Amino acid sequence: MAAPSAANRSADARPTPPPAPVITATLLSSRMRFLPKCVCSADHATSPRSVECQLRYLHSRLHRSGSRVWAMDGPAPIADFVPVLSNWRAARSTETLQRDFSDPDFDDSDWLPIEVPSHWQTQPGFEDFDGTLLYRADLRVPALQAGQRRWLRFDGLCYTGDVFLDGAYVGQTEGYFTHHRFDVTDLTSRSGTYTLAVEVGAPRETPGERKRAITGWFTEAPGTPPTWNPAGIWQPVSIVDTGAVAIRHFRATCVAADERRAEIALRAVLFADDTADIELVTEVAGTSDVSTHRVSAGENQVEWHVSVPLPELWWPHERGEQPMYPLSVQARIPNGTISDRKYRRIGFRTTSMRDFILRINGERVFARGINVGPIELDLASASVDAMRDEILAIREAGFNFIRVRSHVNRVEFYDLCDDLGMMVWQDFPLIGAYVRGITDRAEAQAREMVDFLSHHPSIVVWGGHYRPHTDEPRTTSAPDLRRQQMPSWNRSILDRAVSGTMRGDDPSRRTVAHSEVAPHIPQLRGSDLGQFFGWFDRPASELAEYAAALPRFVRFVSDMGSQALPEHIEKDLDALLDVAGAEVEALHAVIPASDYAEASNWVKSTRHHQADVLKTSIETLRALKYRPVGGFCAGLWRGVGPGLSRALIDHDGTPRPALDAAKTALQPVLPILYPPEPTLHAHHLATIALHICNDRDEDLELTVTATITDQRGTSIKQWQGLADADAVSYLGDIEVRGGRIGQSATVELLAEGSDGRWTNRYVISAT
């Protein structure tokens, strides 16, 4: 970027930015660990164009590091930077403080210091506070140059905020994940220090009443302590300087892709000072597109498409590579000045879902999924390294699919899913029943979510409202059909509005309007459903029978399994049961504490029961692959706090036995008995079907050996042949003879091929 000429420079003007080589060194040193892959040229590692694209991407993210960033191209005066928001202070709101706190001359010397970004309950003096908190900070900015506009941006504030600058009201925010941008040009045109004041409110919902705040699992993920409130300015606050035309909202979505061509649909909401002709310059994957548009004063919505020839396609990690392309859009005014710009990373692929069977780039993919909540209660301070480790661990356990359950995560989470080839079902944060006045707000936040995330190829499904019909906890293994037949405002009106917004803004992905809604009159379509056999009122062995009777109810099982307690009891047991989502009555009904003299043995029993139930459930659903099951999500990956939950890993990182059970059941090639918990009567001969489940995209020549140890002794049976790609193949039957009641027989299975061996084991008790 060229420095302003001496004629245009004044004492109040922005200082000359450092030369390009210095910028490059600063950018690389501050974020080098998290550089994404670049595929903009054949030589990714050394191409100067590749490095430039990486820097542009980092430029769009660097506001998180607190460093100032000058524009990297185009004539003056455009620059994005994070201001020095120093000396943040906070105080609990009172009527007097609310009236006076925004005044720049207000004396806040007795206020407590607070970090931003953060959740205020992680800060000294506010650990147990609920209600409204007042923030103040010093904002130092340089003078604006002619033709510039200045915007104050909040990347995340939970939950509502009223913003003031030097006593003037700037605007209001609502929604914990949405970005808000306020025009502060007239208020900060001169260089100097200004007082930023923000009133943040995040009151708790009243139990038993319909909700008002759209927060989902951000505030009530399983294991969340009853005292936790993630309120506060939890994402960065920044200043963005633009020219006379600013890009206020931006969306980029891959709507078609094959080996010959990819098509990107782009949408921008432009704010202009006056009527003007502008050029939108789009650069991606070696393609440059220039389109001209006339804009009027105020907001203007512009949509256009860009075609990219011969793209490399993005695939889930089991099917191929994950190339990501830097994308930039510049708004240029007639004199050639770049007035504003946006950067994204995008991957090219198509996705579809019919009868809950996914297709990526036209190929079927069976979804072996896990539900994921916020990686930590303190999501604001979660490190990118921790996120990467978590996603890698999920992938290495055998999952290929993540459901971001009822919340929107940090942006880095989705970047990592793109790079690691994990498919994502992204939920909108609605859980349970809401008041009737939220429809407009919910639609606006749904549109923000699509704008925020639609460029990520890893996201293959949008999800709407979880359990819209009730806030009451689940009490049966299978869904209760009778309660869902009548229409309700949440399911029939709110969900239709929210899903219609997401579907209209992004028709390239399947939108599932709601979850946990059984087929109901008149269409009988239904949605994904949780099936909790082995918990509540029915054993895990009955899931296979249920699936045969009601196949539509298991097309996509979005939750399953039993709950268990953490291994390390750091507090009394009552506290571990008093957390969000704990199903205490079911726990005592299935595994009564009164049966155990020692609490530690009771805890251990809950953990082993969880493992047995999860293995049976996963194997049952994998045996029904595509007939009719399109996929599943198994419980919860990690608990956000100590407590009773379906997590496979305790909040402190301790793996539960259920994790090992899942790893066995998720092997890409798996020999399985069906049903996985067969009935074996005492002194009778049982005939059990043996199948091989092959999730690979190639046929495999296998030898499968079954070793049966029962009342008769040990016998071996063996099969050789071809296991079809991406299919379940029936091999034959085995016979097991039951002994006396309670006596166990074992079946050990081994599948061997040229590039691997896969095992499974069953212990079957006679009844």
Side-chain angles (χ1 to χ4, degrees):
M1 170 179 169
S5 66
N8 294 329
R9 196 181 301 130
S10 67
D12 288 336
R14 177 179 293 115
T16 304
V22 177
I23 297 175
T24 301
T26 302
L27 288 168
L28 288 175
S29 64
S30 63
R31 300 285 282 193
M32 189 66 180
R33 287 182 301 166
F34 310 129
L35 280 175
K37 292 183 290 186
C38 178
V39 293
C40 58
S41 66
D43 185 0
H44 301 172
T46 60
S47 164
R49 179 179 174 83
S50 178
V51 172
E52 179 186 2
C53 288
Q54 308 289 15
L55 293 175
R56 288 174 182 245
Y57 172 74
L58 295 180
H59 174 269
S60 70
R61 293 279 186 260
L62 200 63
H63 65 271
R64 296 184 179 278
S65 71
S67 302
R68 177 170 294 190
V69 183
W70 294 94
M72 296 175 59
D73 52 8
I78 307 309
D80 299 347
F81 63 93
V82 174
V84 181
L85 292 175
S86 62
N87 196 24
W88 280 95
R89 295 87 68 191
R92 305 181 186 210
S93 178
T94 66
E95 185 175 342
T96 301
L97 288 180
Q98 279 183 319
R99 185 174 61 247
D100 301 331
F101 87 108
S102 62
D103 189 325
D105 296 324
F106 176 80
D107 181 9
D108 59 14
S109 58
D110 60 344
W111 286 26
L112 295 176
I114 191 169
E115 289 184 15
V116 171
S118 73
H119 305 290
W120 75 50
Q121 285 195 350
T122 65
Q123 301 296 299
F126 304 106
E127 295 91 343
D128 59 351
F129 180 62
D130 284 321
T132 300
L133 196 68
L134 306 178
Y135 288 77
R136 282 168 60 92
D138 303 321
L139 170 60
R140 294 196 295 272
V141 295
L144 283 171
Q145 298 182 25
Q148 279 192 307
R149 299 200 72 82
R150 177 163 288 160
W151 307 85
L152 176 63
R153 171 171 159 159
F154 288 80
D155 282 359
L157 184 153
C158 183
Y159 179 71
T160 61
D162 286 292
V163 183
F164 303 83
L165 196 59
D166 259 15
Y169 185 66
V170 173
Q172 183 183 51
T173 76
E174 180 173 354
Y176 82 89
F177 66 88
T178 54
H179 293 186
H180 297 274
R181 202 174 187 185
F182 303 106
D183 188 347
V184 293
T185 303
D186 294 338
L187 296 173
T188 62
S189 59
R190 296 183 179 182
S191 65
T193 301
Y194 299 84
T195 299
L196 175 62
V198 188
E199 178 182 331
V200 179
R204 289 187 181 278
E205 304 282 4
T206 303
E209 294 186 3
R210 295 189 170 223
K211 301 183 182 74
R212 298 177 181 273
I214 302 171
T215 55
W217 267 16
F218 191 66
T219 54
E220 52 182 306
T224 301
T227 57
W228 172 248
N229 187 340
I233 304 174
W234 73 283
Q235 289 285 270
V237 181
S238 59
I239 283 287
V240 179
D241 289 351
T242 71
V245 177
I247 305 173
R248 295 208 60 181
H249 301 278
F250 178 70
R251 181 192 310 148
T253 309
C254 177
V255 294
D258 56 30
E259 291 80 3
R260 296 168 298 174
R261 182 184 64 87
E263 184 176 353
I264 307 170
L266 299 112
R267 172 186 177 270
V269 176
L270 308 175
F271 181 88
D273 285 349
D274 204 348
T275 300
D277 291 319
I278 66 157
E279 291 182 337
L280 291 175
V281 182
T282 307
E283 294 184 350
V284 58
T287 296
S288 182
D289 177 88
V290 180
S291 58
T292 302
H293 306 269
R294 168 150 288 210
V295 295
S296 303
E299 286 198 347
N300 303 261
Q301 180 172 307
V302 179
E303 296 182 356
W304 71 105
H305 286 240
V306 173
S307 292
V308 177
L310 304 176
E312 295 183 43
L313 298 182
W314 184 96
W315 291 92
H317 72 90
E318 296 172 320
R319 297 295 179 91
E321 298 298 317
Q322 297 79 47
M324 296 297 298
Y325 293 83
L327 179 149
S328 71
V329 171
Q330 299 173 349
R332 290 183 178 173
I333 55 180
N335 66 2
T337 299
I338 300 172
S339 187
D340 200 1
R341 64 182 149 238
K342 293 293 181 182
Y343 296 117
R344 296 287 188 270
R345 286 197 316 154
I346 195 165
F348 301 131
R349 58 97 188 93
T350 60
T351 177
S352 64
M353 178 185 273
R354 182 179 177 85
D355 291 330
F356 288 95
I357 296 174
L358 271 170
R359 290 184 182 270
I360 306 297
N361 299 325
E363 294 189 8
R364 285 190 312 185
V365 180
F366 188 75
R368 304 187 308 274
I370 187 75
N371 291 298
V372 170
I375 186 173
E376 296 178 9
L377 276 178
D378 183 8
L379 188 59
S381 65
S383 72
V384 177
D385 282 343
M387 290 185 189
R388 180 185 294 276
D389 291 345
E390 202 88 340
I391 297 169
L392 278 172
I394 291 171
R395 193 175 82 169
E396 290 166 2
F399 296 102
N400 61 4
F401 188 90
I402 291 173
R403 182 168 184 172
V404 182
R405 179 76 168 271
S406 301
H407 76 289
V408 177
N409 214 308
R410 291 230 316 250
V411 63
E412 299 95 333
F413 180 90
Y414 304 97
D415 290 333
L416 291 167
C417 287
D418 291 341
D419 289 339
L420 296 174
M422 294 297 293
M423 297 179 289
V424 173
W425 175 317
Q426 176 59 52
D427 277 349
F428 188 64
L430 289 175
I431 298 179
Y434 286 78
V435 297
R436 295 196 174 198
I438 73 158
T439 305
D440 290 345
R441 288 175 283 155
E443 287 184 286
Q445 291 188 37
R447 179 166 289 113
E448 286 284 337
M449 183 181 77
V450 174
D451 285 354
F452 181 52
L453 298 175
S454 65
H455 57 285
H456 290 284
S458 56
I459 297 177
V460 296
V461 180
W462 298 118
H465 193 165
Y466 181 73
R467 300 196 80 209
H469 50 286
T470 182
D471 281 314
E472 296 179 10
R474 180 83 170 259
T475 58
T476 57
S477 299
D480 185 348
L481 300 183
R482 293 167 298 176
R483 298 182 59 187
Q484 299 191 30
Q485 296 308 309
M486 297 300 293
S488 70
W489 180 85
N490 274 264
R491 190 185 70 198
S492 305
I493 306 300
L494 176 62
D495 293 2
R496 183 179 300 170
V498 171
S499 63
T501 295
M502 293 190 291
R503 192 177 295 115
D505 288 346
D506 181 12
S508 73
R509 294 173 171 93
R510 168 72 185 274
T511 296
V512 179
H514 31 229
S515 296
E516 282 286 284
V517 174
H520 53 277
I521 298 171
Q523 295 176 316
L524 299 178
R525 286 185 300 190
S527 70
D528 58 291
L529 295 166
Q531 302 291 356
F532 300 102
F533 287 77
W535 194 241
F536 299 122
D537 56 341
R538 300 176 70 173
S541 58
E542 291 188 11
L543 177 57
E545 179 184 346
Y546 177 86
L550 295 169
R552 182 174 287 270
F553 286 60
V554 296
R555 292 177 301 169
F556 198 101
V557 176
S558 54
D559 207 348
M560 66 175 79
S562 67
Q563 296 190 341
L565 288 160
E567 179 177 357
H568 304 296
I569 302 176
E570 302 167 352
K571 52 179 75 175
D572 64 88
L573 281 172
D574 288 341
L576 297 178
L577 302 178
D578 185 21
V579 296
E583 294 158 354
V584 180
E585 290 186 11
L587 173 68
H588 287 300
V590 176
I591 312 169
S594 57
D595 290 353
Y596 299 86
E598 298 289 336
S600 59
N601 291 333
W602 180 52
V603 169
K604 185 181 297 184
S605 182
T606 70
R607 296 166 73 83
H608 286 291
H609 178 77
Q610 180 193 27
D612 294 341
V613 168
L614 187 62
K615 183 175 184 292
T616 297
S617 300
I618 291 176
E619 290 184 359
T620 300
L621 297 173
R622 288 193 69 185
L624 299 173
K625 177 178 181 176
Y626 304 141
R627 298 178 301 175
V629 179
F632 58 82
C633 287
L636 175 68
W637 177 249
R638 180 195 288 267
V640 296
L644 181 68
S645 75
R646 288 187 175 82
L648 306 190
I649 299 176
D650 290 339
H651 73 288
D652 60 3
T654 303
R656 295 183 178 183
L659 179 59
D660 286 335
K663 288 180 178 180
T664 297
L666 292 168
Q667 295 174 91
V669 180
L670 181 67
I672 50 177
L673 300 181
Y674 192 79
E677 285 193 11
T679 300
L680 182 61
H681 294 296
H683 308 296
H684 283 71
L685 193 67
T687 301
I688 309 169
L690 175 61
H691 296 76
I692 189 79
C693 181
N694 178 16
D695 277 2
R696 291 188 171 182
D697 59 352
E698 58 183 349
D699 296 341
L700 296 177
E701 189 72 38
L702 297 176
T703 299
V704 179
T705 304
T707 303
I708 303 123
T709 302
D710 59 11
Q711 189 185 34
R712 301 168 298 177
T714 298
S715 59
I716 296 175
K717 195 169 184 179
Q718 195 170 78
W719 295 262
Q720 287 184 319
L722 202 64
D724 293 338
D726 193 30
V728 178
S729 302
Y730 168 71
L731 299 183
D733 296 332
I734 63 170
E735 293 182 340
V736 181
R737 179 171 291 280
R740 63 181 181 275
I741 294 176
Q743 187 175 2
S744 296
T746 62
V747 178
E748 297 186 4
L749 303 177
L750 169 65
E752 295 179 286
S754 60
D755 62 345
R757 62 198 310 270
W758 303 271
T759 62
N760 203 354
R761 186 173 188 270
Y762 298 87
V763 178
I764 310 169
S765 295
T767 59

